[in-house]
Structure formats: structure tokens, C-alpha cells
Amino acid sequence: MYIDGVFSGGGIKGFALIGAYEAIESRGLRFARLAGTSAGAIMAALIAAGYTSVELKRVIKEVEGKQLLDDTLFDLPFVRWLKIYFTLGLYKGKKLEQWIDGLLMQKGIRTFGDLAPEALRVVTSDITNGRILTLPDDLPSYRINPHTFPIARAVRMSCTLPYFFQPVKLSVPHGKALILDGGMLSNFPLWLFDEEKKQKRPVLGIKLSTRTMRMPRQINTGADLFSAMFHTMKDAHDARYISRRHERNIVFIPVEGTAVTDFDLSDEKKDALIQVGRSYTEAFLKRWCY
């Protein structure tokens, strides 16, 4: 049976999404269309390219997280601050893009034109023009041919965590637009498929979440204010959208105790996250009425 799928962001915690995909595959379900943000964009792109869960588990065991980060000259706090100040991020993100591009090329996929129409949507944030940017749908408004746009570049844009990665520059008619992590504006783009007047098939959402109930934030300093602003941007839009009608089609996977940017994750922690994703998705699918 074919379904549509939406994967949420979550940084390095996205390993849990592989376990979810494994449970979905074992259930005999296949994806016709996919959408994702940040780590969810990586998953969606690789699944759309034809990767199985077995292949994805092998891929992550072969790569060290640090291999996906561009080199920095010095690791002193003051130098890092200067780098962020002048380049807007610690790492360029080019190595991450090259890694994704290499994986896609192994399946004969490079651009959106290599996939079936509507097979993949990736969510990013255009901070220059202040808008959610959905790729490849919105590319024509930037006078860019969506069929020739590299999928790996789109995924890198969606994964560009502010200050950790440098913004990606997208050429536009009157200059350049700076593109950042899609999670800033929509970390779980379930709305992409719900906007259709008539759904073609069931839509399943996979969302990384926390067990604990969120408490009001204490905002006393400028750093507190920035943190609160960022998390509000990341979560408020999607939280309002998810209603009881949507909850019955969403797998909520609790992932705690791992930092979003923990690229030194051990194989044991990777396996633990995969197991969490698999077990929660298996339990959900047993009761899912699609």
C-alpha cells in the first residue's frame, strides 16, 4: 500500500527516523510522496531516491559525524565568535551537501527532475524575504528551474541550523537570498499535504518530540531572549496546526538526552535512537486506521 510521509526535523536525533522507516517498511507500506525539514529532509530525500532502511543503517555506520563538518582553523572561543560574526556560522555545510549528493548519485538521482513529480518536498527558511520556502515548488518564483536544482543543495538549506552552519546563498533577480534551517518556520510540514482539496492517499507523519511537558520559559538575559525566540519560531506554527484530527496520523517519537548538534554520537547511541524510533512506530502502526 502506498502512503504519503512527512518527517520532522531534530538534528542528529534524526537517527530515530531510520527506525521508524524500518517499521513502516516491515508493515508493507511504501511512500509515494515525501516531505521533510532538516534531518527529516535528509530522510525524505534518501527514501525518495530509493534507499531501504537496511541501506540507511549501513550508511550511517560508515560515516563519522565529524566528517560532515567543514574544517575550522582554530577552536578557541573568541575565534569561533569572530567566525560566527563575520561568516554567520561556524561551518559552511559543503561537506554535508557533498555527502548527501554522493548518496543520491549512487541511486542515479541528482536533481528534482530525476524524481517523479511531487515525489519530494523540502522546507527551508528564506530570511532575506521573510518566508517559508518549499523546494522545489517555490523555485520558479526565484526564476530558477526546479527540474535542474540539486536535491542535495535543497537538503543542505533545510539543515542549515542558525550559527552552526553558514546560510546558503540563493541567487535571485535582485541579488541573493540567505536560506536557513526550515525548522525555524516549520519543523514538521504536515500542512503541505493537508492543503490539497482531496487527499490522494493516507498521510503518515513521523515527529521527534519530548516526553516532558513544556514549562514556561524564564527570560532574564539577552541569551534567554534569543533562545526563546528561536524555539517559538521553530515550534509555534506546527503546534497550532496539529489538531486531534491530525494526531491520529502522527507517530510521536520521544528523543531526549542527545544534543541536536552532537556529531560525535557513538554507534551505541545511534542504535539506541534507531530502536526507539522503531519500537514507537511499530506500536503506532498496530492501531493506525488508514
Side-chain angles (χ1 to χ4, degrees), residues 7-14 17 35-45 96 100 121-125 154-162 165 180-184 186-189 208 230 234 260-261 263:
F7 290 90
S8 81
I12 209 70
K13 299 178 183 182
L17 300 175
T37 298
S38 195
I42 297 177
M43 277 296 300
L96 176 63
I100 296 169
R121 287 173 175 157
V122 174
V123 173
T124 66
S125 301
V155 173
R156 172 188 167 190
M157 290 175 172
S158 188
C159 295
T160 306
L161 188 68
F165 287 115
L180 281 177
D181 197 315
M184 288 180 59
S186 183
N187 202 44
F188 184 50
L208 303 181
F230 178 76
K234 185 171 70 72
V260 172
T261 57
F263 280 80

Side-chain angles (χ1 to χ4, degrees), residues 11-207:
I12 209 70
K13 299 178 183 182
F15 285 112
L17 300 175
I18 298 176
Y21 179 37
E22 185 176 24
I24 292 166
E25 272 192 321
S26 65
R27 193 78 172 183
L29 300 173
R30 298 294 180 266
F31 291 111
R33 299 182 301 173
L34 291 142
T37 298
S38 195
I42 297 177
M43 277 296 300
L46 294 180
I47 295 173
Y51 277 89
T52 65
S53 60
V54 173
E55 289 175 317
L56 290 181
K57 285 196 292 184
R58 173 181 53 79
V59 163
I60 68 164
K61 290 294 180 65
E62 292 176 349
V63 66
E64 293 292 333
K66 289 292 186 180
Q67 297 174 9
L68 306 180
L69 301 178
D70 311 274
D71 295 330
T72 54
L73 294 177
F74 302 99
D75 202 31
L76 299 174
F78 180 69
V79 176
R80 290 165 67 92
W81 182 88
L82 285 177
K83 186 175 179 64
I84 292 173
Y85 185 84
F86 287 106
T87 66
L88 308 182
L90 283 175
Y91 304 100
K92 292 181 179 179
K94 288 186 177 180
K95 283 192 175 182
L96 176 63
E97 180 179 340
Q98 291 167 356
W99 176 69
I100 296 169
D101 190 52
L103 292 176
L104 294 173
M105 288 292 287
Q106 289 181 32
K107 296 292 185 179
I109 303 295
R110 188 166 189 274
T111 69
F112 283 99
D114 295 326
L115 298 175
E118 300 184 353
L120 175 66
R121 287 173 175 157
V122 174
V123 173
T124 66
S125 301
D126 178 350
I127 61 172
T128 299
N129 296 291
R131 60 175 291 192
I132 293 177
L133 178 61
T134 303
L135 306 176
D137 301 21
D138 295 332
L139 286 172
S141 65
Y142 291 78
R143 299 183 185 177
I144 296 174
N145 184 349
H147 296 289
T148 60
F149 196 82
I151 295 172
R153 177 68 52 81
V155 173
R156 172 188 167 190
M157 290 175 172
S158 188
C159 295
T160 306
L161 188 68
Y163 297 118
F164 191 78
F165 287 115
Q166 296 171 16
V168 179
K169 295 178 181 179
L170 186 65
S171 296
V172 294
H174 302 291
K176 294 185 181 296
L178 296 183
I179 313 299
L180 281 177
D181 197 315
M184 288 180 59
L185 299 178
S186 183
N187 202 44
F188 184 50
L190 190 66
W191 49 272
L192 280 171
F193 293 137
D194 201 50
E195 287 179 346
E196 299 171 348
K197 293 182 179 179
K198 185 177 180 181
Q199 287 187 355
K200 299 178 181 179
R201 58 189 68 82
V203 178
L204 177 65
I206 312 296
K207 188 178 190 307

Side-chain angles (χ1 to χ4, degrees), residues 196-254:
E196 299 171 348
K197 293 182 179 179
K198 185 177 180 181
Q199 287 187 355
K200 299 178 181 179
R201 58 189 68 82
V203 178
L204 177 65
I206 312 296
K207 188 178 190 307
L208 303 181
S209 61
T210 58
R211 297 174 185 269
T212 54
M213 189 176 196
R214 181 167 298 165
M215 301 298 292
R217 297 181 181 277
Q218 296 295 321
I219 304 173
N220 301 312
T221 67
D224 294 338
L225 177 62
F226 173 80
S227 177
M229 288 171 59
F230 178 76
H231 284 89
T232 299
M233 288 188 296
K234 185 171 70 72
D235 298 329
H237 175 275
D238 297 327
R240 180 174 180 178
Y241 180 79
I242 296 174
S243 63
R244 290 188 180 277
R245 179 170 67 90
H246 298 102
E247 284 182 351
R248 63 185 177 85
N249 294 318
I250 299 173
V251 183
F252 292 94
I253 304 174

